[in-house]
Amino acid sequence: MNPLDGLTIVSLEQAVAAPFATRQLADLGARVIKIERPVVGDFARGYDETVNGLASHFVWLNRSKESVALDLKSAEGREAVQALVDRADVFVQNLAPGAADRLGLGAEELRARNPRLIHVSISGYGTGGPYSSKKAYDLLVQCEAGLVSITGTEDEPSKVGISIADIASGMYAYSGVLTAVIRRERTGEGATIEVSMLEALSEWMGFPLNYAIYGGASPSRTGARHAAIAPYGPFTCGDGNQVFLGIQNEREWATFCTFLGSPELARDERFVRNSLRVEHNAELRAVIEGVFQAFTAERVAELLEVSGIANALLRTMDGLAEHPQLEARGRWRTYQSPVGELRALIPPVTMSDSTPVMGPIPDVGQHTEAILAEFGIAPESTVPAGF
């Protein structure tokens, strides 16, 4: 038995944030009914064709779901969604600001019909305030949250290479649903949940925000290095490749100094505590790389591991796909899709008595007829246009 067996979720979702939240729930056993535009579906289906003709984002976010294609510009389509939600436990939506209310799918209306409903809205900037109707794509929210200002090199800011604002808000929606389900079991009450991409990502900005508010300046952009910890980041070895370090405390620093063959460095007035090491980072880097020049990066990593010092080599996506730790722990599974069998990592939370669902990826509207019949909803009389 899966943890969320029996929980029904209707999701009016697109792109990344809401689909990421609902896929986590689907993999735990929840039934996720995904409402899509007829014919074209979720626009993330068209981002690319790299996974044997399917979009890499869509493949990542939409396994284990059922697809129902409805025209929400028609009264029939809207009534069909309302009828589905009347018998659901959770409704999730990440439409443009105000769109759900205009469609009659806002929290007040749907919870009046189904008081036990958990209604979840994910938006860029939240309801109210001067940004409430502002378009919010991941890059733009990264900018507004200050993330881009501290990411990149000294010469150029950079966005994070994944949709981190979408992922942050999707994870808070996911945990919010689980919290609301637990509360409903205790009280019988549904919930209205709102998650803002800006607020989700701003929560993750706690370190640089505190650093700037109380330190008087934002952390500097340091590439893969760290503005407030040293030694940290990439160090070049004799073969021109790099080993990444992350020395986190004074005990590790003393151990590392012994590893370098210079235990007295731990008492050097330039390096005696972390803040001083940050201040004298260029000098420290020269010392470390001077030692590393005698070895290849792979050999340095081996020696560091023997000494119990945190380290990593830089892996590409191919390297991740072949990671020996993931392979050794059996973290890969196959699942089905419209283009055949695909391979993916199982969800990161492992439960000893439960296996993740990892069901197939649906075609657009693949389950429309069956689900409408199951819920006693008359099919739409016209070919719908979408929403």
Side-chain angles (χ1 to χ4, degrees):
M1 181 176 178
N2 295 100
L4 298 184
D5 280 350
L7 194 75
T8 298
I9 298 165
V10 175
S11 190
L12 191 54
E13 60 180 30
Q14 55 195 346
V16 175
F20 187 62
T22 57
R23 200 219 75 196
Q24 314 301 312
L25 298 164
D27 280 337
L28 289 174
R31 182 184 190 184
V32 176
I33 300 172
K34 180 183 179 78
I35 310 299
E36 297 194 73
R37 296 169 178 82
V39 184
V40 296
D42 179 342
F43 58 69
R45 287 182 181 269
Y47 280 172
D48 58 62
E49 303 82 32
T50 57
V51 185
N52 299 334
L54 300 181
S56 49
H57 275 85
F58 194 84
V59 165
W60 167 43
L61 298 166
N62 289 284
R63 66 173 178 247
S64 308
K65 299 179 184 180
E66 299 168 86
S67 173
V68 172
L70 294 170
D71 176 16
L72 299 191
K73 294 179 180 177
S74 74
E76 291 168 311
R78 294 191 295 273
E79 289 167 3
V81 175
Q82 289 175 335
L84 290 171
V85 177
D86 283 347
R87 292 170 55 185
D89 298 285
V90 182
F91 175 70
V92 180
Q93 66 89 16
N94 69 329
L95 300 182
D101 288 304
R102 291 192 297 273
L103 292 168
L105 301 173
E108 185 175 349
E109 183 167 344
L110 292 183
R111 290 193 61 204
R113 297 166 60 105
N114 178 2
R116 286 176 55 84
L117 180 69
I118 297 165
H119 188 288
V120 184
S121 296
I122 305 173
S123 65
Y125 298 101
T127 303
Y131 278 44
S132 61
S133 61
K134 187 177 178 68
K135 288 187 176 180
Y137 300 123
D138 190 87
L139 165 63
L140 310 181
V141 177
Q142 286 192 39
C143 289
E144 293 288 349
L147 179 57
V148 173
S149 76
I150 63 165
T151 305
T153 66
E154 183 178 338
D155 297 325
E156 185 177 12
S158 175
K159 73 177 184 67
V160 176
I162 57 174
S163 302
I164 193 168
D166 285 308
I167 294 168
S169 57
M171 287 305 296
Y172 282 115
Y174 164 56
S175 60
V177 167
L178 298 179
T179 302
V181 168
I182 293 170
R183 189 184 76 165
R184 192 180 67 174
E185 289 300 306
R186 295 171 176 170
T187 67
E189 297 179 11
T192 299
I193 297 173
E194 182 180 11
V195 179
S196 152
M197 292 169 65
L198 175 65
E199 291 159 12
L201 192 56
S202 295
E203 164 63 23
W204 288 14
M205 294 292 290
F207 145 64
L209 191 59
N210 279 312
Y211 188 100
I213 290 173
Y214 297 103
S218 295
S220 56
R221 292 193 300 271
T222 54
R225 300 181 178 90
H226 201 291
I229 300 175
Y232 191 103
F235 293 83
T236 302
C237 302
D239 59 353
N241 294 320
Q242 294 176 318
V243 168
F244 287 69
L245 300 176
I247 306 298
Q248 298 286 307
N249 56 57
E250 299 309 316
R251 177 185 55 79
E252 290 182 345
W253 166 239
T255 301
F256 183 59
C257 292
T258 300
F259 170 85
L260 293 174
S262 301
E264 70 277 3
L265 280 175
R267 300 182 298 276
D268 190 305
E269 62 181 13
R270 298 169 298 170
F271 309 136
V272 73
R273 65 175 184 272
N274 180 66
S275 58
L276 290 171
R277 293 195 292 274
V278 172
E279 182 180 343
H280 297 281
N281 195 35
E283 299 161 74
L284 178 59
R285 179 168 298 281
V287 171
I288 295 170
E289 291 186 339
V291 175
F292 284 7
Q293 283 302 303
F295 307 94
T296 65
E298 188 170 332
R299 181 56 177 160
V300 170
E302 290 173 354
L303 294 171
L304 288 166
E305 196 65 27
V306 170
S307 298
I309 298 167
N311 69 90
L313 296 173
L314 182 63
R315 292 183 184 272
T316 63
M317 291 301 95
D318 288 340
L320 175 61
E322 298 171 357
H323 202 293
Q325 181 69 4
L326 297 174
E327 185 67 32
R329 282 178 44 77
R331 301 306 294 181
W332 293 97
R333 295 288 187 277
T334 57
Y335 65 102
Q336 296 301 314
S337 79
V339 295
E341 190 173 82
L342 299 175
R343 179 173 178 256
L345 290 166
I346 64 175
V349 174
T350 302
M351 295 190 183
S352 59
D353 57 350
S354 177
T355 302
V357 173
M358 298 188 72
I361 298 167
D363 269 328
V364 178
Q366 178 178 337
H367 305 93
T368 305
E369 185 176 340
I371 288 178
L372 293 185
E374 176 189 346
F375 281 73
I377 302 168
E380 293 179 287
S381 59
T382 60
V383 176
F387 57 90

